[in-house]
Amino acid sequence: MGKRIEGFWLTNWMMTTPPADQMRVVTEVQARFADGRWKTDVSKRLALGNLISNLADALKTNDGKVIITP
């Protein structure tokens, strides 16, 4: 499907980092996305009610994430 994984896997970090430190980091990451310091590419937004009929087509592109909205 032409998928590419960028970044790093968190498995080892999650297994070796105390929960309080994990929460601190997750909170900071969420804040950076919320205030615009970080962003991610979004190729499609799909309403939950239309998900089944539209998901296959939405996943054909690899230029961003598919966001599911209520």
Side-chain angles (χ1 to χ4, degrees):
M1 292 180 62
K3 301 292 181 187
R4 182 177 65 188
I5 297 173
E6 296 177 323
F8 56 94
W9 293 98
L10 294 175
T11 305
N12 289 338
W13 182 79
M14 295 290 286
M15 291 178 9
T16 60
T17 303
D21 291 339
Q22 290 180 31
M23 187 59 110
R24 180 183 51 77
V25 171
V26 167
T27 300
E28 177 62 24
V29 167
Q30 289 175 333
R32 290 178 185 207
F33 278 110
D35 68 20
R37 286 180 283 168
W38 289 359
K39 65 179 183 174
T40 190
D41 295 330
V42 176
S43 63
K44 199 73 140 173
R45 293 181 186 273
L46 299 178
L48 185 57
N50 301 327
L51 184 63
I52 300 300
S53 59
N54 295 318
L55 185 58
D57 283 337
L59 294 175
K60 288 180 181 175
T61 64
N62 61 359
D63 60 347
K65 293 176 174 46
V66 175
I67 302 296
I68 302 168
T69 60

